Amino acid sequence: MSEEKRRAVEMLNISKIYPDGVVALRDVNLTVYEGEIHGLLGENGAGKTTLMRILYGEIKPTKGKIRLFGRKVSFHGPWDAIRHGIGMVYQHFTLVPTFTVLENLHLSFTSVEKKMSESMIRRNAEKLMKEIGFEVPLDAIVEDLPIGVQQRAEILKILLRKAKILILDEPTSVLTPIETRELFKTLKKLKEKGITIIFITHKLREVKEITDRVTVLRKGRLVGTVETANVSEIDLARMMVGREVFLKISKKPAKVGRKVLETVNLWVKDDRGLDAVRGVSLDLYEGEILGIAGVQGNGQKELVEAIAGIRPIIKGRIIVDNVDVTNKSTVERYRLGLAYVPDSRLVGLVFDMSLVENTTLTNLHKVLTKTKRILWDKASEIAVKVVKELDIIAPSLGAPVKYLSGGNQQKVMVGREIVREPKIFIVAEPTHGLDVGATEFIRKTLISLRDKDKAILLVSTDLDEIMQLSDRIAVMYEGKIVAIGKAEEFSVERLGLLMGGVKA
Amino acid sequence: MMSLAHFLMKFRERIRARYEEYLVITIETLASAIIGFSIGALVLYILGFNPAKIYFILFSKGLSNPNYLLSKSTPIMLTGLAFAIPMLAGVFNIGGEGQLYIGALISLIVVTSTHNPALGILAGMVAGAALGTFKAVLKVYRGVNEVIAAIMLNWVMYFLILYLLTEKLYNPQIPHESIPVPEDARLGKIPTPIGDIRLIFFIAVIASLIIYYILYYTNIGYMLRVAGLSPKTAKYAGFNPNLAIIYSMALGGAMAGLGGSLLLIGYVYSIDTTMSTLFGLGFTGIGVALLGRNNPIGIIFSAIFFSMLIIGGEMIELLAGAPPELADVLTGVIVIALALPYMYRMLISYMRIRRLIKK
Ligand SMILES: Nc1ncnc2c1ncn2[C@@H]1O[C@H](COP(=O)(O)OP(=O)(O)O)[C@@H](O)[C@H]1O
Ligand SMILES: [Mg+2]
């Protein structure tokens, strides 16, 4: 390296503990040179977004210093960061959907420069667009525009405020492949103009394609910063996933029975109307755990919601125990022996309702009389059974479940399904956010269910969990199953590559 | 033996679990009332009145005539339910006013032609339910905000009735009143230890109890409450949150409609052409529901309390010359004070987070 590069961003020994005690970052260092595209790579929950929100002044670090172009700074809010030439494009856009693009641009100036008139902004925007060579219809209503164009408007907004450092948080996760290519073209143009770009992603291919250097985070810690040209995708996968000693859980060999769940060429859209599941065909057998690995947002959530009947499907069929349930309601599917434990306790539980009311949620038909009266005594009996069977610690049956610990809440969600004795369990992120003890308990419970000949479909972004529990593994990437096979066929590295969209 | 012991254990557990909750609610409600009355006293003092004397009039006159007190509490009890039921399903129904109007109007038309009070009441309930359902359908299928729809429809109902009263349904003998409910179709009073009490009060109480039963002991009520607290969870459990919205608005509308028809058939017997007999009862119901914490049993008592304030407020004006708005001030302050515990909790959690971040 002959010329001395200027350091645009230096983040030194950054730690962040969220108010609820989550340690999101531990002593992380990040140096970004002026004019480079710097990748920030890591699994879900690695702390990428947190680190960038700190740089953008949106949250304060618990510890650590930030320097911009060599000068120490301390931000009280994003407006400070904006004044220092930093701009951030979030995973979720911050445009007013019912305003035109121009009105949004105008609005964004009110916090920095009040005297800009709309015609001045229009002139500047048009000039800038010509320079960078991209186009955004200024007079179009934002919500009528495709996502890719909305994102461009968001970038335009930031550049108009003379940003020198542009942060993009997983910008490609909302884009189609063609839009992604467009975005990369834009980013390269911006780089030529000397703008420094920080690009957050968990896709290895994108790191290789667009970045100059890349910093890898894992579970809130810095793994390292490397020159992209010097590393292979396999190296990156290893850095991202890491090798850790697994908690060992002894497991008998699976005794596989008959097929109880089948999806045939399933297509499902996500909340934004984009194809999230694109032609998934899966079989699930009694007595096995089929683990679905993948980075969050690759269609796993939409897939299991479609199987449970919560999300409409576009195309394809779902068969539960030889019955075609494609057009059947959620309740009917549950009654046919399907159980679904969602990935979020906010979805699975009503926090302000009691334990009894929560265990009743999926057991309602059992406690109803012919006149649709709820027999609360019977409902309490079920709750008592759930509490006993899963060793739930709760202040009382009548106390709202919000007073239970996360682990016990998770047990409520799993337990109320177990007492229904279904044949098929669909379990999403069953140990997310739980401590070691609760995690082990839930995992052992899943294995014992499998040993009782239940069929289990496990969706998890936690590779340890997938490796530990699954008899078979399927990897989902961009809505498709990119690999499926016996658990032994997958090493951590291979999984890491597949999850990052690399064929392996 | 086993099951008895088990039952006793469960019973004790349930009481213990709810005990704290009920205690907190009672304390909060009482505290809010005390704060409300204290601020009211301050206002009175500043205006140059003797707060003790005014409050004496307010309570003694407010409570002096049980029949008057309970009759006046009837419509606001029902409009209270009209607000509370949708609220539990997560919908903000401020349309109780319009639903009460249409209930009164339709039952007037039905009862004058059929001379059957039961039919009149039923028609009033159906009318209120229909109006409520209409708003729910607009919200669910067209995305129309229920508050805006309610504000507009309240006025539509107001002027519709005004028009019909002045042009079609007026009483030829007393032109500023509507045609009266036929004598043989009027609901009367029933004797009790505290004197004769209008039948309509008991009907309203029974309606509240039925609503309580529906909300807490039937699948519809359960679905409705789940959907109100967490629509995502409702979907997960296979309930349709949109259906919960529609049911709750239908049920709430029916209650406001019932309020309108009971008021007409069992109390005032005709509507005056300035609408002063009906105006504001729907809005007062919002306060009633808030004070009663959206609980049908709580609403019975808070409706009586509000009724006392209204009656006492009128007497203050007559006897002490204090402004009649004092009753409104008091109810307003009490409702705001009720929100204080919530604000207090928010403040504490905010401070705790601030402190943690500083560390
Ligand atoms: N506002 C928050 N409050 C509490 N915990 C949070 C918050 N935001 C993120 N976290 C937690 O911090 C960790 C890092 O999250 P995040 O920075 O979003 O990771 P990434 O962007 O790499 O997926 C996760 O464990 C996440 O659950
Ligand atoms: Mg993130």
Side-chain angles (χ1 to χ4, degrees):
Chain A
M1 231 175 282
S2 52
E3 78 219 82
E4 181 62 22
K5 284 185 196 149
R6 266 181 83 195
R7 291 158 188 245
V9 176
E10 283 172 281
M11 297 183 79
L12 304 168
N13 297 317
I14 302 285
S15 292
K16 173 70 193 178
I17 305 171
Y18 277 110
D20 52 6
V22 176
V23 183
L25 295 170
R26 260 181 242 258
D27 276 325
V28 171
N29 289 294
L30 173 73
T31 302
V32 180
Y33 295 129
E34 189 175 14
E36 74 171 343
I37 299 184
H38 194 104
L40 195 54
L41 180 71
E43 287 188 286
N44 290 119
K48 307 179 295 285
T49 301
T50 303
L51 189 64
M52 287 304 109
R53 284 173 70 197
I54 289 172
L55 179 58
Y56 192 48
E58 196 190 334
I59 51 179
K60 285 198 172 155
T62 315
K63 212 182 98 220
K65 276 190 298 215
I66 301 175
R67 267 187 267 181
L68 287 183
F69 300 102
R71 283 225 312 272
K72 186 172 177 304
V73 290
S74 149
F75 297 149
H76 295 289
W79 52 90
D80 278 345
I82 291 169
R83 273 193 212 110
H84 280 83
I86 299 178
M88 179 152 170
V89 178
Y90 290 89
Q91 274 164 296
H92 304 281
F93 301 153
T94 54
L95 300 167
V96 183
T98 50
F99 280 15
T100 65
V101 174
L102 190 64
E103 283 164 345
N104 268 290
L105 297 177
H106 193 184
L107 183 66
S108 79
F109 269 102
T110 52
S111 67
V112 252
E113 215 174 314
K114 290 208 175 51
K115 282 200 277 298
M116 287 290 263
S117 73
E118 215 153 273
S119 59
M120 279 160 78
I121 294 173
R122 181 190 296 275
R123 237 177 298 131
N124 289 351
E126 273 163 1
K127 198 170 128 231
L128 190 67
M129 286 195 288
K130 215 171 277 157
E131 279 173 29
I132 315 165
F134 76 13
E135 230 171 279
V136 183
L138 293 179
D139 296 309
I141 303 281
V142 166
E143 63 186 352
D144 298 337
L145 295 170
I147 298 286
V149 181
Q150 290 188 22
Q151 190 178 59
R152 239 178 278 159
E154 191 87 45
I155 294 174
L156 181 66
K157 180 174 102 182
I158 289 165
L159 296 178
L160 268 182
R161 297 192 300 220
K162 308 226 163 39
K164 291 178 295 232
I165 299 165
L166 177 62
I167 306 167
L168 299 145
D169 192 353
E170 306 206 11
T172 59
S173 61
V174 292
L175 300 183
T176 64
I178 298 166
E179 286 175 329
T180 302
R181 223 173 306 141
E182 289 282 309
L183 172 70
F184 284 3
K185 245 191 268 167
T186 306
L187 294 186
K188 282 176 186 154
K189 267 269 175 43
L190 293 178
K191 185 185 152 185
E192 277 167 29
K193 289 199 60 182
I195 289 176
T196 309
I197 296 167
I198 303 178
F199 181 88
I200 303 184
T201 187
H202 52 245
K203 294 183 182 167
L204 303 172
R205 196 176 354 110
E206 293 177 353
V207 173
K208 283 296 283 181
E209 189 177 337
I210 187 97
T211 67
D212 299 306
R213 295 193 314 142
V214 54
T215 294
V216 184
L217 296 180
R218 189 199 314 147
K219 297 196 172 153
R221 290 177 196 275
L222 175 72
V223 180
T225 302
V226 289
E227 304 255 341
T228 312
N230 297 342
V231 289
S232 66
E233 287 177 359
I234 298 183
D235 296 332
L236 287 174
R238 197 175 292 140
M239 286 175 81
M240 180 166 95
V241 176
R243 298 180 139 281
E244 273 141 56
V245 199
F246 301 152
L247 300 142
K248 273 275 175 281
I249 293 183
S250 57
K251 210 168 67 164
K252 284 184 276 181
K255 283 198 313 252
V256 178
R258 60 200 177 88
K259 192 200 284 181
V260 285
L261 175 70
E262 187 179 354
T263 70
V264 185
N265 190 27
L266 208 58
W267 287 74
V268 187
K269 286 197 190 300
D270 65 13
D271 290 336
R272 300 180 306 253
L274 302 173
D275 285 325
V277 177
R278 302 188 295 157
V280 167
S281 298
L282 275 178
D283 295 332
L284 182 69
Y285 297 88
E286 276 178 351
E288 73 161 349
I289 298 180
L290 170 58
I292 298 194
V295 177
Q296 198 180 356
N298 276 286
Q300 305 97 310
K301 181 170 158 243
E302 287 78 8
L303 173 68
V304 292
E305 286 185 356
I307 296 176
I310 295 165
R311 186 176 284 277
I313 65 170
I314 306 303
K315 215 163 65 185
R317 284 189 305 139
I318 300 164
I319 295 146
V320 170
D321 211 11
N322 292 324
V323 181
D324 191 323
V325 299
T326 314
N327 296 315
K328 288 203 188 318
S329 72
T330 302
V331 174
E332 280 173 296
R333 292 178 202 204
Y334 288 171
R335 268 196 232 170
L336 279 167
L338 192 82
Y340 168 46
V341 180
D343 61 351
S344 159
R345 295 191 273 282
L346 281 170
V347 171
L349 298 172
V350 186
F351 276 50
D352 283 317
M353 281 191 166
S354 71
L355 208 151
V356 176
E357 283 171 304
N358 272 287
T359 49
T360 305
L361 212 54
T362 52
N363 287 297
L364 185 61
H365 60 278
K366 280 201 209 153
V367 299
L368 278 185
T369 64
K370 278 212 187 67
T371 55
K372 304 295 174 198
R373 184 156 74 90
I374 297 179
L375 299 171
W376 284 115
D377 278 345
K378 218 164 159 190
S380 306
E381 278 165 30
I382 292 176
V384 168
K385 211 164 139 196
V386 172
V387 167
K388 274 212 189 107
E389 218 154 292
L390 287 144
D391 249 334
I392 293 171
I393 299 166
S396 76
L397 289 181
V401 291
K402 66 179 171 197
Y403 296 132
L404 270 61
S405 71
N408 282 303
Q409 289 174 349
Q410 191 72 27
K411 284 181 184 177
V412 172
M413 292 209 298
V414 176
R416 70 175 174 215
E417 303 308 313
I418 292 179
V419 298
R420 283 172 49 211
E421 310 212 322
K423 296 184 206 103
I424 308 157
F425 279 87
I426 299 168
V427 187
E429 308 289 352
T431 60
H432 186 225
L434 301 191
D435 61 37
V436 182
T439 299
E440 196 178 343
F441 183 92
I442 295 282
R443 288 183 188 169
K444 280 189 172 150
T445 306
L446 291 177
I447 292 197
S448 77
L449 285 170
R450 151 198 181 265
D451 292 341
K452 284 181 199 142
D453 291 331
K454 308 290 183 199
I456 295 170
L457 186 69
L458 166 73
V459 171
S460 181
T461 50
D462 182 341
L463 281 185
D464 290 355
E465 186 160 87
I466 291 281
M467 301 282 285
Q468 215 178 64
L469 296 179
S470 309
D471 300 305
R472 286 194 301 144
I473 293 175
V475 183
M476 251 186 121
Y477 180 75
E478 296 191 339
K480 290 190 178 135
I481 303 285
V482 290
I484 183 163
K486 290 227 170 64
E488 302 86 72
E489 295 165 25
F490 293 90
S491 63
V492 178
E493 275 121 62
R494 181 162 175 235
L495 277 179
L497 285 171
L498 288 164
M499 283 166 59
V502 181
K503 290 221 164 53
Chain B
M1 259 329 276
M2 262 305 285
S3 73
L4 182 70
H6 182 68
F7 177 79
L8 282 177
M9 192 195 77
K10 239 170 30 189
F11 187 68
R12 217 182 56 190
E13 198 167 29
R14 190 176 294 175
I15 295 211
R16 205 179 327 134
R18 296 273 166 198
Y19 164 76
E20 263 180 44
E21 205 177 314
Y22 288 150
L23 192 70
V24 168
I25 288 176
T26 312
I27 290 174
E28 281 178 6
T29 309
L30 281 177
S32 318
I34 290 171
I35 292 174
F37 281 115
S38 313
I39 294 179
L42 198 68
V43 172
L44 281 173
Y45 181 76
I46 292 169
L47 291 178
F49 295 98
N50 178 353
K53 193 173 143 220
I54 298 283
Y55 279 149
F56 179 75
I57 298 172
L58 186 72
F59 283 101
S60 60
K61 297 295 172 192
L63 298 170
S64 64
N65 182 343
N67 181 41
Y68 189 38
L69 177 74
L70 299 180
S71 302
K72 278 245 173 208
S73 77
T74 300
I76 54 178
M77 191 184 300
L78 291 162
T79 51
L81 290 173
F83 180 79
I85 301 166
M87 199 67 235
L88 287 172
V91 193
F92 210 72
N93 180 26
I94 63 161
E97 187 82 14
Q99 291 154 359
L100 176 115
Y101 295 166
I102 194 79
L105 175 75
I106 298 294
S107 55
L108 177 66
I109 293 170
V110 170
V111 89
T112 44
S113 52
T114 64
H115 291 244
N116 182 336
L119 221 60
I121 290 171
L122 198 69
M125 282 176 78
V126 170
L131 188 57
T133 310
F134 177 59
K135 273 174 277 195
V137 167
L138 280 183
K139 178 182 170 67
V140 168
Y141 296 104
R142 310 281 344 144
V144 178
N145 182 296
E146 72 270 23
V147 173
I148 291 169
I151 292 172
M152 296 199 288
L153 283 168
N154 281 347
W155 286 110
V156 170
M157 291 303 133
Y158 181 86
F159 285 109
L160 175 73
I161 293 179
L162 213 54
Y163 166 75
L164 289 175
L165 287 185
T166 48
E167 294 293 320
K168 310 272 178 209
L169 294 171
Y170 61 88
N171 185 342
Q173 274 97 49
I174 319 168
H176 69 272
E177 275 182 13
S178 72
I179 40 173
V181 175
E183 302 258 356
D184 57 350
R186 293 180 185 180
L187 297 181
K189 297 180 190 172
I190 52 176
T192 72
I194 50 167
D196 292 355
I197 304 292
R198 275 180 206 282
L199 185 58
I200 56 168
F201 171 74
F202 298 100
I203 298 176
V205 170
I206 290 168
S208 303
L209 295 175
I210 290 175
I211 293 295
Y212 182 81
Y213 175 81
I214 291 177
L215 287 174
Y216 292 95
Y217 286 91
T218 70
N219 65 334
I220 289 187
Y222 176 69
M223 286 181 203
L224 206 138
R225 288 185 298 124
V226 170
L229 287 169
S230 171
K232 277 187 192 157
T233 313
K235 260 179 127 176
Y236 159 68
F239 312 155
N240 182 349
N242 288 339
L243 220 52
I245 290 175
I246 293 173
Y247 284 164
S248 73
M249 286 293 278
L251 217 50
M255 286 304 112
L258 177 64
S261 50
L262 287 184
L263 180 67
L264 183 82
I265 296 175
Y267 189 19
V268 292
Y269 308 126
S270 70
I271 311 167
D272 68 308
T273 52
T274 58
M275 296 276 287
S276 67
T277 36
L278 302 182
F279 189 78
L281 293 173
F283 294 122
T284 307
I286 298 174
V288 170
L290 289 174
L291 186 67
R293 300 219 159 211
N294 294 330
N295 180 313
I297 310 286
I299 285 173
I300 297 176
F301 293 102
S302 90
I304 296 171
F305 178 76
F306 263 73
S307 173
M308 178 203 79
L309 285 184
I310 294 167
I311 297 167
E314 287 164 1
M315 295 314 280
I316 294 174
E317 189 188 6
L318 280 176
L319 297 179
E325 288 82 8
L326 181 71
D328 293 341
V329 171
L330 276 177
T331 53
V333 173
I334 289 171
V335 169
I336 292 170
L338 267 173
L340 281 179
Y342 177 72
M343 265 164 56
Y344 178 66
R345 273 183 231 134
M346 292 287 288
L347 209 68
I348 286 186
S349 74
Y350 175 76
M351 305 258 272
R352 194 181 309 137
I353 288 172
R354 280 294 295 258
R355 214 174 316 126
L356 261 164
I357 289 174
K358 282 243 170 69
K359 251 197 284 182

